[in-house]
């Protein structure tokens, strides 16, 4: 049986997303009744915290920007402390459709970590150029490590089961790209089962993506470094006594 | 250059790389700090294994004594790393100050809260 919505913590890392985060929270509550929403305000200079609180979410405000990885660490720690066995990450910019969450949760029966993948059939999300090659290379390498086919490894739309929450609360990487790429290596080396589920993604509601086109080549290099670093860490560091 | 100094140059470069990678492995060094040292170590290894690259690079830049290029590059890398550390230190000091302010405000708030609850029980 998939975990109930009342046991699920939706974590929304938000950095200067006051314009969108309200809509996202409203949408989450409408699509997923009974769920708990934690917005981690990652040192925003706008009213992200205020808007989120008014929409009825629990809000943790970081005193300065830690990046998505740092914000998610706090989310996992909160889940552990308040006994939420399941954490689902949803981006604050509205590109993840909360209607896809039940599909992720259903797959948690089989796996410890479920990714919502953009290129697996549903939706019409497209990217081009070096960024595409980088994502392709990441997908191939990480699929081999995780012993399953992963097509969208940089997806932030993911559900973590109890074992993943315990592991991530301690080991979630805060480095750039670490939250997506390195976390998958940590999960598979920690013995977690990873699956992906096709989900439809929308284009961003407002604001610009943190990955601008001119940064594409730079992104490729950093992705390679992030991956290399993830692999040279001794795997004993991630072993769990669960 | 004799064989002994050739081997010594390569060994020194490999030692640098080994130490940096080992620190990286054990998470004692974050990757963004390691990049400069890896860069320097790789340059040293290339110059150590193929000394003629150093000679070519020096003559291309118009440097008469190739070893001066080694000194220049070493000092430049050390200068940049130390500049990066100064900038990181500034960022850390800012963050520490923000944390201290937050803690002071929270302490004040919790003192006020316990004062009011104390009044109520009287």
């Amino acid at each position: 049986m998939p975990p109930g919505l009342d046991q699920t913590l939706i974590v929304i890392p938000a950095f200067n997303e006051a314009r969108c985060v309200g809509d996202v929270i409203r949408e989450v509550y409408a699509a997923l009744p009974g769920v708990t929403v934690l917005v981690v305000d990652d040192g925003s200079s706008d009213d992200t915290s205020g808007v989120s609180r008014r929409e009825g979410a629990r809000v943790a405000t970081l005193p300065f920007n830690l990046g998505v990885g740092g914000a998610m660490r706090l989310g996992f720690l909160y889940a552990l402390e308040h006994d939420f066995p399941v954490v689902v990450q949803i981006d604050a910019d509205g590109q993840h459709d909360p209607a896809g969450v039940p599909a992720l949760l259903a797959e948690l029966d089989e796996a410890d970590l479920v990714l919502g993948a953009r290129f697996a059939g549903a939706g019409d999300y497209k990217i081009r150029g070096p960024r595409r090659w980088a994502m392709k290379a990441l997908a191939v390498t990480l699929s081999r490590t995780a012993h399953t086919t992963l097509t969208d490894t940089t997806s932030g739309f993911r559900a973590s089961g109890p074992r993943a929450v315990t592991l991530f609360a301690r080991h979630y990487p805060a480095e750039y790209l670490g939250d997506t790429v390195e976390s998958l290596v940590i999960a598979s080396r920690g013995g977690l089962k990873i699956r992906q589920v096709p989900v439809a993604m929308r284009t961003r509601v407002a604001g610009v993506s943190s990955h601008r086109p001119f940064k594409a080549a730079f992104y490729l290099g950093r992705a390679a470094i992030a991956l290399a670093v993830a692999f040279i860490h001794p795997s004993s560091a991630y072993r769990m006594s669960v | 250059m004799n064989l002994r100094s050739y081997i010594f140059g390569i060994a020194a470069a490999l030692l640098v790389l080994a130490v940096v990678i080992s620190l990286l492995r054990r998470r004692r060094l974050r990757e963004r700090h390691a990049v400069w040292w890896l860069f320097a170590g790789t340059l040293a290894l290339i110059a150590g294994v193929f000394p003629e690259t150093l000679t070519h690079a020096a003559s291309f830049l118009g440097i008469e004594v190739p070893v001066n290029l080694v000194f220049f590059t070493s000092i430049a890398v050390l200068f940049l790393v130390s500049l990066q550390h100064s900038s990181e230190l500034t960022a850390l000091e800012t963050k520490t100050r923000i944390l201290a302010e937050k803690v002071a405000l929270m302490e004040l708030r919790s003192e006020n809260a316990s004062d009011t609850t104390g009044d109520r029980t009287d």
Side-chain angles (χ1 to χ4, degrees):
Chain A
M1 225 197 70
L5 287 175
D6 56 330
Q7 292 186 297
T8 304
L9 180 70
I10 305 279
V11 178
I12 306 179
F15 176 57
N16 290 340
E17 295 280 6
R19 278 165 61 203
C20 312
V21 74
D23 292 333
V24 174
I25 296 166
R26 229 172 294 132
E27 220 179 3
V28 167
Y29 280 133
L32 311 163
V35 89
T36 308
V37 176
L38 173 72
V39 173
V40 181
D41 179 351
D42 194 8
S44 301
S45 52
D46 65 2
D47 196 27
T48 300
S49 289
V51 170
S52 309
R53 218 168 268 129
R54 279 194 290 282
E55 292 297 338
R58 301 184 188 183
V59 180
T61 311
L62 290 168
F64 37 76
N65 188 266
L66 291 182
V68 179
M72 283 311 296
R73 283 183 73 98
L74 183 61
F76 288 119
L77 283 171
Y78 184 88
L80 212 54
E81 207 166 276
H82 292 79
D83 297 318
F84 288 99
V86 176
V87 168
V88 179
Q89 177 185 348
I90 291 185
D91 281 359
D93 59 14
Q95 66 166 321
H96 300 155
D97 189 346
V101 170
L104 297 184
L105 294 181
E107 198 67 20
L108 275 182
D109 271 352
E110 302 285 317
D112 299 301
L113 177 64
V114 181
L115 308 187
R118 284 167 283 195
F119 316 114
D124 54 358
Y125 188 94
K126 290 245 173 13
I127 49 160
R128 267 175 259 99
R131 198 168 138 74
R132 201 183 120 83
W133 309 331
M135 293 175 99
K136 194 93 189 184
L138 285 175
V140 171
T141 319
L142 290 169
S143 294
R144 198 167 304 159
T145 313
H147 306 295
T148 181
T149 309
L150 304 175
T151 50
D152 186 13
T153 53
T154 55
S155 168
F157 194 24
R158 39 175 78 183
S160 309
R163 275 156 54 84
V165 171
T166 315
L167 180 72
F168 285 157
R170 223 176 329 147
H171 293 301
Y172 210 66
E175 291 278 352
Y176 177 77
L177 279 175
D179 60 301
T180 48
V181 175
E182 195 183 344
S183 67
L184 287 176
V185 179
I186 290 175
S188 47
R189 294 178 107 191
L192 302 192
K193 230 168 148 187
I194 304 172
R195 285 284 172 278
Q196 85 170 15
V197 166
V199 290
M201 297 263 177
R202 292 173 296 204
T203 42
R204 301 166 58 84
V205 176
V208 282
S209 173
S210 47
H211 307 294
R212 283 160 192 268
F214 65 86
K215 281 188 183 164
F218 199 57
Y219 176 90
L220 196 124
R222 299 201 65 168
I225 293 175
L227 197 59
V229 167
F231 277 107
I232 63 169
H233 288 310
S235 60
S236 58
Y238 312 127
R239 222 155 275 153
M240 287 192 305
S241 47
V242 176
Chain B
M1 193 174 70
N2 58 31
L3 182 67
R4 216 175 288 173
S5 72
Y6 182 71
I7 291 173
F8 178 72
I10 295 174
L14 285 178
L15 182 71
V16 169
L17 286 176
V19 169
V20 173
I21 290 173
S22 139
L23 284 174
L24 205 55
R25 246 175 77 87
R26 288 180 289 135
R27 295 183 181 280
R28 302 286 298 272
L29 192 61
R30 284 186 71 179
E31 53 193 77
R32 61 182 187 156
H33 299 296
V35 167
W36 283 113
W37 299 123
L38 286 175
F39 174 71
T42 312
L43 277 187
L45 188 64
I46 293 170
V49 177
F50 309 107
E52 49 294 3
T53 54
L54 182 64
T55 322
H56 290 312
S59 72
F60 177 75
L61 292 170
I63 299 167
E64 277 177 35
V65 187
V67 78
N68 281 337
L69 181 60
V70 175
F71 294 138
F72 172 76
T73 316
S74 313
I75 292 169
V77 168
L78 289 178
F79 175 78
L80 286 175
V81 169
S82 118
L83 199 61
Q84 188 199 13
H85 286 174
S86 305
S87 135
E88 298 265 345
L89 190 61
T90 309
L92 283 176
E93 282 171 349
T94 310
K95 287 181 177 178
T96 319
R97 197 199 65 234
I98 293 173
L99 282 178
E101 290 164 356
K102 289 267 169 189
V103 170
L105 287 173
M106 276 169 64
E107 205 170 353
L108 194 64
R109 211 180 303 151
S110 70
E111 262 169 34
N112 286 343
S114 59
D115 281 355
T116 45
T117 47
D119 286 347
R120 249 176 248 143
T121 49
D122 279 345

